[in-house]
Amino acid sequence: MSDLLKEHVKNVLEANYAGVVETRRRIDDLEAQGHRIVTGGQMGQDGWDIIDWRTNEILAAGDGGLEEYEAAAGELDPDNKFIHHDRILEDEDLAYVSTPGLPDGLANAVEDWVLSDEADPEEIADFIGWPIEKVEEYQAEE
């Protein structure tokens, strides 16, 4: 079972890394086409912000609700070149990694742990025999 778990952890990390690489490629392509990737949006009832994803610069913020947000977004992006980061992530395959011979429930729990903030990269590296730097890189969200 231990070898199967090690294989699954490696599969999870490799699938995560492939997804991150693909997202980065898509972002690079969009930016090369003149788009700007933004984050932010509505926060609570009336608060909002628009943030440049690459630089974390707050482009605009307010507490005047959706109408104010839409007005600011229209003023900042008259050519409709902003793309919200969440839209890029919507296209990602969010299916759990499956490893033959490992029950799905266990596989999913291991994947959730491997990709969580609580997972210790050093512990994972020791378990699967990878350098810690590689584990950290492959665990990255972006």
Side-chain angles (χ1 to χ4, degrees):
M1 183 63 107
S2 179
D3 287 343
L4 192 56
L5 278 175
K6 288 177 185 180
E7 177 187 341
H8 183 67
V9 170
K10 290 175 186 178
N11 291 344
V12 165
L13 290 168
E14 288 169 351
N16 185 68
Y17 185 72
V20 168
V21 167
E22 176 60 18
T23 299
R24 289 176 185 160
R25 184 200 60 74
R26 289 177 43 224
I27 288 171
D28 289 345
D29 288 350
L30 289 165
E31 289 176 331
Q33 296 168 18
H35 292 284
R36 186 175 198 175
I37 311 304
V38 296
T39 62
Q42 287 291 127
M43 300 178 299
Q45 178 111 6
D46 296 318
W48 60 270
D49 58 13
I50 302 170
I51 302 168
D52 182 282
W53 173 81
R54 187 148 314 265
T55 65
N56 282 325
E57 174 189 0
I58 298 173
L59 305 175
D63 57 11
L66 183 59
E67 231 175 81
E68 183 182 81
Y69 168 78
E70 289 176 346
E75 188 176 309
L76 283 170
D77 185 24
D79 299 326
N80 203 25
K81 290 290 191 175
F82 285 9
I83 296 181
H84 199 283
H85 190 263
D86 288 351
R87 271 190 45 209
I88 296 165
L89 297 179
E90 285 173 0
D91 296 334
E92 290 186 0
D93 178 16
L94 298 179
Y96 279 102
V97 173
S98 175
T99 300
L102 202 59
D104 287 342
L106 177 58
N108 297 351
V110 169
E111 180 169 344
D112 288 343
W113 169 71
V114 167
L115 299 178
S116 74
D117 292 338
E118 291 79 34
D120 180 357
E122 185 174 356
E123 184 178 36
I124 293 170
D126 287 345
F127 180 64
I128 64 174
W130 282 11
I132 190 170
E133 297 81 14
K134 183 175 180 179
V135 170
E136 290 171 334
E137 181 181 10
Y138 279 53
Q139 280 180 310
E141 293 178 22
E142 282 194 52

